[in-house]
Structure formats: structure tokens, C-alpha cells
Amino acid sequence: MRRDYSKEIDGSDMTQLIDVSKDTCPMTFVRARLQLDRMGAGEVLEIRFRGEEPRRNLHRSFAEQGHEIVSLDVAEDGSGRLLIRKGS
């Protein structure tokens, strides 16, 4: 499953990666949030996760905080990738 929420990131965007696939909620959100807090506005964070709970909650929580959801990809095995552009 792939959901495109907005334009794709281009080569000028700074992208950082965090893998929370071995964590459980709420630590998936906590670790991703701490990484995002260290980033500058407009930078992109790639979050790799696994499971139903982070798939449902991560993008919703970050969107509610004013960050842009660039894309959400989920594989059949439950692993996923979420791209977030940090808001101001």
C-alpha cells in the first residue's frame, strides 16, 4: 500500500533516517519525535516501522502536530516507511 500525501521529496531536501521497527508503542513515537525535534524546519525524516499500531498512529500524530506527511508505504509483511517533512 502506498499513500502519497503531497509532492515527493527532491534532492535538495535533507533526509534523516530512524528505524523504530523493533520498538513498541509508545516508544515508536517517542524515538521518532526526539529525532524530529533535533531537525530543522523543512528537513525530511524517514521512519521505518513494523506493525499495525505504528502504521495507524505515527502519521496521524505527526500530522496533528503540524508536520507534513510526504508518503506512507506499507509492505505485506507489516513493515513500513513514513516520510515526514518537519514543520516550522
Side-chain angles (χ1 to χ4, degrees), residues 36-49:
L36 197 63
D37 285 349
R38 291 189 287 263
M39 296 169 58
E43 290 183 332
V44 175
L45 177 62
E46 177 180 341
I47 303 170
R48 294 188 185 165
F49 63 89

Side-chain angles (χ1 to χ4, degrees), residues 26-84:
M27 287 309 295
T28 52
F29 175 76
V30 170
R31 288 191 59 223
R33 171 71 191 269
L34 288 172
Q35 181 69 31
L36 197 63
D37 285 349
R38 291 189 287 263
M39 296 169 58
E43 290 183 332
V44 175
L45 177 62
E46 177 180 341
I47 303 170
R48 294 188 185 165
F49 63 89
R50 178 175 298 279
E52 183 65 23
E53 200 166 6
R55 183 198 61 79
R56 284 193 324 261
N57 296 330
L58 285 173
H59 73 282
R60 177 185 48 81
S61 296
F62 286 115
E64 287 173 356
Q65 292 181 347
H67 305 293
E68 176 186 357
I69 306 305
V70 177
S71 68
L72 171 63
D73 300 307
V74 181
E76 288 183 23
D77 69 356
S79 63
R81 183 185 98 154
L82 175 63
L83 292 177
I84 299 171

